[in-house]
Amino acid sequence: MTDVQRRGFVTRLTAYEPLTLIMLASVAGGLFVLQRLTSEVLEGETFRFDEAILLALRRPGELGVPVGPAWLTHAVGDITSLGGVTVLTLMTVLVTVYLLLDRRWPIAIFVFSSVLTGWLASTLLKILVARPRPDIVPHLVEVSDLSFPSGHAMVSAVTYLTLGALLARTQRYPSTRIFVMGAGVFLAVIIGLSRIYLGVHYPTDVFAGWCAGALWALGCWLISKRFVPSRAPDDAHTIANGDGG
């Protein structure tokens, strides 16, 4: 590889803004691992693993009481609300409105449609797998829908990672892009962990939700990178005329 080719490769590699998102999708293993995990769940091969983790998070002889202090249970309940439909809907609508007011119409529409279709994909996966909720330990919050994949894990990953990846494209400085993406990953992770702690999801439900959500967000980012402009029309016009400073 010549120096010119090497520099070109490095330039293309560093052009990707949400490296954290790409790494998360790579660790999750992509669609192949999601398919294999779904197959193992349907065959019941993951039950002992799920059971061991859920039991480890409860006090021996008192399965209705989680490990840790009382304030931790309260905090986890607050954290899990960040992955609820109400909070995620408000977050998506507010970000979309902000982008519209900032005259970034293409990316605003793409953000809203990406999150909405991700939610629909999560619902479809639940219906197809139709895994019941775990009954190994008492649930600490009320739930009524199906279990696999975790809707909170997948939808929060879809929402926060998609918003983070697409909003990062609108930021001027690398530090703010890294922060936005890091915040999205952090929120998706702690929301998924909260569902395991509360006993309403098997760990494999949450892992599948992270995997599917990260892949969805990554796909949306790749599409937006190719087809959706991140700058407002006036900004693009200013830069094109050499007035960007």
Side-chain angles (χ1 to χ4, degrees):
M1 180 180 292
T2 65
D3 290 340
V4 174
Q5 290 174 326
R6 187 179 297 107
R7 286 196 296 268
F9 174 77
V10 172
T11 300
R12 289 193 298 272
L13 182 63
T14 55
Y16 286 94
E17 296 168 353
L19 287 177
T20 305
L21 176 59
I22 295 173
M23 291 173 62
L24 181 62
S26 299
V27 170
L31 290 172
F32 175 76
V33 170
L34 181 61
Q35 185 274 330
R36 291 300 304 163
L37 178 60
T38 303
S39 176
E40 294 295 316
V41 165
L42 291 174
E43 294 172 2
E45 298 294 331
T46 62
F47 181 77
R48 289 189 177 181
F49 168 78
D50 289 326
E51 181 184 42
I53 293 181
L54 288 175
L55 291 176
L57 294 174
R58 298 302 171 95
R59 295 181 183 176
E62 296 181 286
L63 295 183
V65 182
V67 296
W71 63 263
L72 179 60
T73 304
H74 179 75
V76 171
D78 291 339
I79 289 171
T80 206
S81 298
L82 296 175
V85 174
T86 301
V87 173
L88 294 179
T89 299
L90 287 173
M91 178 73 67
T92 303
V93 170
L94 289 174
V95 169
T96 302
V97 171
Y98 165 77
L99 291 171
L100 290 174
L101 293 176
D102 200 36
R103 301 184 66 183
R104 302 179 191 270
W105 295 81
I107 199 169
I109 296 172
F110 192 81
V111 164
F112 186 81
S113 59
S114 297
V115 173
L116 179 60
T117 53
W119 290 7
L120 294 176
S122 174
T123 302
L124 179 61
L125 282 174
K126 279 181 174 287
I127 295 173
L128 291 175
V129 178
R131 187 186 198 184
R133 292 280 181 167
D135 56 4
I136 299 170
V137 296
H139 300 166
L140 300 185
V141 293
E142 184 177 351
V143 291
S144 58
D145 59 345
L146 297 170
S147 190
F148 184 95
S150 166
H152 272 66
M154 179 174 176
V155 175
S156 64
V158 167
T159 303
Y160 291 120
L161 296 185
T162 298
L163 292 179
L166 298 181
L167 286 179
R169 294 187 55 212
T170 70
Q171 304 304 306
R172 179 179 301 178
Y173 304 108
S175 58
T176 56
R177 292 196 289 268
I178 292 172
F179 174 80
V180 169
M181 277 307 308
V185 172
F186 176 72
L187 287 172
V189 169
I190 63 172
I191 289 169
L193 293 177
S194 73
R195 304 307 284 175
I196 301 173
Y197 184 85
L198 296 172
V200 296
H201 274 296
Y202 296 104
T204 46
D205 295 339
V206 172
F207 181 78
W210 284 335
C211 179
L215 287 170
W216 193 271
L218 175 60
C220 291
W221 177 81
L222 291 174
I223 294 172
S224 73
K225 186 73 173 178
R226 178 65 179 84
F227 299 105
V228 181
S230 61
R231 297 185 181 277
D234 288 348
D235 294 341
H237 179 73
T238 299
I239 293 175
N241 284 278
D243 298 328

